[in-house]
Amino acid sequence: MLAAVRQARIIDEVRRTGGVRVADLTELLGVSDMTVRRDLDALDRKGLLTKVHGGATALDTASAIEPSFETKRARERPEKQAIAAHAAKLIRPGMAIAISAGTTTWALAPHLAAIGNLTVVTNSLKVAEALYDASRPDLTVVLTGGLRTPSDGLVGPVAVQAIRSLHVDLLVMGVHGIDIRAGLTTPNLLEAETNRAMVDSAKRVAVVADHTKWGVVGLSHIAPLSVVDTLLIDENLPDEATEALAKHVGEIVAVHDPEKAHRVSAESS
C-alpha cells in the first residue's frame, strides 16, 4: 500500500473516531508499528492530526474546540466502561460525592445503583438524567445551574456558586487532557473554573480518563496533577507515562479488566 493511501486512511480513521492507537492502525493497514509511527510523524508535521503517546488524536482534542457529548461517547467505549466500573469501587454507602461532566463520568452513573444512601452533586445533565431514571428514594441528586456546554455540562458563575457552598467526600472528575507540565486541562474556560470549584469542595479527587487523554493540552488549566488522589486510566497508557505520572499523583489504577486492576503508588516509584 502506498504511503499516501495509508495516510489518507489514517486521517479518515482519526476524523471518524477522534483518536486512534498504533496497534489498531497496524491491524487495519496490515503494516508494522514502525511504518505507522512514521506515517503519524509525517501527518503531525503537516498539521493534519496530533501525535500522542501510543497513537494520534484529531486536532480539536488539543485545541479550544470542545467536542460534543455524542462525539466523545463514541471514543474508547470499552475503556471508559471498565474505568467507570472501577471508579464505583471508591464509593461507599452514605457518601456525598461530586461527579463532573463527561462521557467517562456518565458511564459511572449506572454503577451507583448498587450503592445505597448516596448524595450526588453534578453539573452533568446526562449524569443527572441517568440518576433520576433510577427513581431511588435513598438517592439525592443535586444538579447545579449554569450555562450548557457542548458536552452537556453546566458551567459558569451559577454552577461555581452552587458548588462552593457544598462539601463532598469524593469528586470523580473527567478531563480533556493530562500532561506533566500543564496538569489537568479542558478547552472550555468556564468548565475549568467550575471543575476547580469541585476540586476545592472535595476531600478526595479521583480523575477518570482513557489513555488518549495523555499528552493532550486543552486551552484552560483546571488543576495541577498533585490534586489527584487516584487516577483511573486504562492499561494502554505507555509505561514511561505511568512512571512519570506516579511521581505526581497519589495512586494510579491501571484498568485492564472489569474485575482486575494493577495499582501503582507514588511511594513505590
Side-chain angles (χ1 to χ4, degrees):
M1 184 183 297
L2 295 175
V5 176
R6 284 198 313 272
Q7 291 174 13
R9 291 192 65 184
I10 290 172
I11 293 170
D12 287 342
E13 190 68 10
V14 169
R15 288 174 177 170
R16 183 180 69 83
T17 64
V20 292
R21 294 195 295 254
V22 170
D24 293 336
L25 290 175
T26 58
E27 183 177 350
L28 176 68
L29 301 173
V31 296
S32 67
D33 284 11
M34 186 173 295
T35 298
V36 169
R37 293 181 192 279
R38 282 199 299 264
D39 286 338
L40 294 181
D41 284 334
L43 293 169
D44 184 86
R45 287 194 301 269
K46 294 175 182 177
L48 298 174
L49 50 72
T50 299
K51 187 179 179 184
V52 296
H53 289 277
T57 62
L59 290 176
D60 66 1
T61 61
S63 71
I65 300 174
E66 184 178 4
S68 70
F69 182 89
E70 293 304 321
T71 297
K72 292 193 292 185
R73 184 171 68 169
R75 300 173 182 172
E76 311 299 328
R77 294 181 68 175
E79 290 86 348
K80 291 175 180 179
Q81 291 292 337
I83 291 167
H86 278 287
K89 297 178 181 180
L90 301 177
I91 302 168
R92 300 287 182 266
M95 291 179 69
I97 66 172
I99 302 178
S100 77
T103 51
T104 309
T105 51
W106 171 71
L108 169 65
H111 296 282
L112 302 183
I115 305 171
N117 194 28
L118 283 181
T119 298
V120 180
V121 179
T122 185
N123 70 324
S124 169
L125 293 168
K126 295 292 187 181
V127 169
E129 181 181 16
L131 294 176
Y132 280 130
D133 287 344
S135 299
R136 282 176 41 194
D138 63 337
L139 175 63
T140 301
V141 180
V142 179
L143 178 63
T144 71
L147 303 173
R148 187 173 185 172
T149 71
S151 58
D152 283 337
L154 297 176
V155 300
V158 173
V160 169
Q161 184 176 2
I163 294 164
R164 290 201 184 282
S165 67
L166 302 171
H167 300 281
V168 297
D169 299 303
L170 174 70
L171 163 63
V172 182
M173 182 170 68
V175 296
H176 176 81
I178 302 173
D179 182 81
I180 290 296
R181 293 185 178 179
L184 309 174
T185 61
T186 172
N188 189 306
L189 292 168
L190 291 177
E191 183 173 47
E193 182 183 14
T194 303
N195 283 355
R196 279 194 295 272
M198 285 189 168
V199 170
D200 292 342
S201 75
K203 293 179 183 178
R204 292 182 55 81
V205 176
V207 170
V208 290
D210 66 79
H211 72 281
T212 64
K213 306 298 179 65
W214 168 246
V216 174
V217 179
L219 176 66
S220 188
H221 173 76
I222 299 171
L225 295 175
S226 58
V227 306
V228 181
D229 295 294
T230 303
L231 171 63
L232 298 101
I233 195 163
D234 62 271
E235 66 175 347
N236 295 307
L237 186 71
D239 291 341
E240 62 270 23
T242 302
E243 293 172 5
L245 285 167
K247 298 175 183 178
H248 298 274
V249 307
E251 176 187 50
I252 299 174
V253 180
V255 179
H256 56 89
D257 182 89
E259 301 299 327
K260 300 176 183 178
H262 173 60
R263 296 180 177 269
V264 181
S265 67
E267 290 80 4
S268 64
S269 63

